[in-house]
């Protein structure tokens, strides 16, 4: 019998919550995301879920990036951190310096991400904000 992995538990939690079936933005989250981004003087934000290989954006503010791969993403890094991932200059961080969202539009420099958990504790994604200006986040 194959052991159940954290990825299997994450996908099962997302499936049971019916969060991956509709890829449209959750408009009820849009206003909260916008208020948080504006409060912290960030240009963009997203509520992102981690599928098996791809990212699913449930809400976005300030950018229109399409779904991307989980591997090597900011969201993957957020899910590996606790309690908060802060990258004050992504262009100088070896994990992200070559990322297309760092080297090209939207030119992410400051990134802040909070892991999202399902009711059972499974890491399922991130609440994230970004700015094209590097600075200290507090």
């Amino acid at each position: 019998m194959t052991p159940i992995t954290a990825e299997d538990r994450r996908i099962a939690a997302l499936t049971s919550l019916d969060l991956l079936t509709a890829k449209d933005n959750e408009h009820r989250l849009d206003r909260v995301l916008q208020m948080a981004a504006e409060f912290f003087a960030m240009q963009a934000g997203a509520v992102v879920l981690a599928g098996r290989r791809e990212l699913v954006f449930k809400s976005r503010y300030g950018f229109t990036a399409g779904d991307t791969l989980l591997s090597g993403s900011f969201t993957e890094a957020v899910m590996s951190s606790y309690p908060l991932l802060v990258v004050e200059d992504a262009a100088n961080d070896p994990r992200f310096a070559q990322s297309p969202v760092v080297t090209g539009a939207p030119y992410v420099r400051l990134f802040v991400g909070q892991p999202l958990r399902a009711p059972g504790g499974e890491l399922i994604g991130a609440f994230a904000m970004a700015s094209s200006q590097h600075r200290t986040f507090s």
Side-chain angles (χ1 to χ4, degrees):
M1 183 170 186
T2 306
I4 297 174
T5 66
E7 177 185 27
D8 293 332
R9 288 190 296 277
R10 180 181 78 245
I11 298 303
L14 288 167
T15 301
S16 72
L17 294 168
D18 197 29
L19 291 173
L20 291 179
T21 54
K23 289 195 175 188
D24 293 334
N25 278 9
E26 295 286 343
H27 297 291
R28 61 190 170 170
L29 297 175
D30 291 348
R31 183 70 182 136
V32 172
L33 184 61
Q34 180 180 353
M35 287 188 312
E38 289 174 354
F39 179 82
F40 288 106
M42 304 293 260
Q43 296 165 329
V47 174
V48 187
L49 302 178
R52 194 165 296 278
R53 291 182 185 84
E54 76 288 343
L55 300 176
V56 177
F57 290 80
K58 296 306 280 185
S59 181
R60 302 174 220 235
Y61 169 74
F63 70 95
T64 57
D67 293 350
T68 58
L69 297 178
L70 173 61
S71 180
S73 69
F74 281 98
T75 299
E76 183 180 56
V78 169
M79 291 171 47
S80 300
S81 67
Y82 182 83
L84 182 71
L85 174 66
V86 177
V87 178
E88 292 182 347
D89 190 350
N92 289 320
D93 187 311
R95 297 171 294 177
F96 308 112
Q98 298 306 311
S99 170
V101 298
V102 173
T103 61
Y107 299 100
V108 171
R109 293 301 178 265
L110 173 62
F111 175 88
V112 179
Q114 172 69 44
L116 296 177
R117 293 183 179 273
E122 301 86 1
L123 290 165
I124 59 171
F127 182 96
M129 298 179 295
S131 173
S132 62
Q133 303 296 315
H134 66 85
R135 61 181 164 91
T136 301
F137 181 82
S138 62

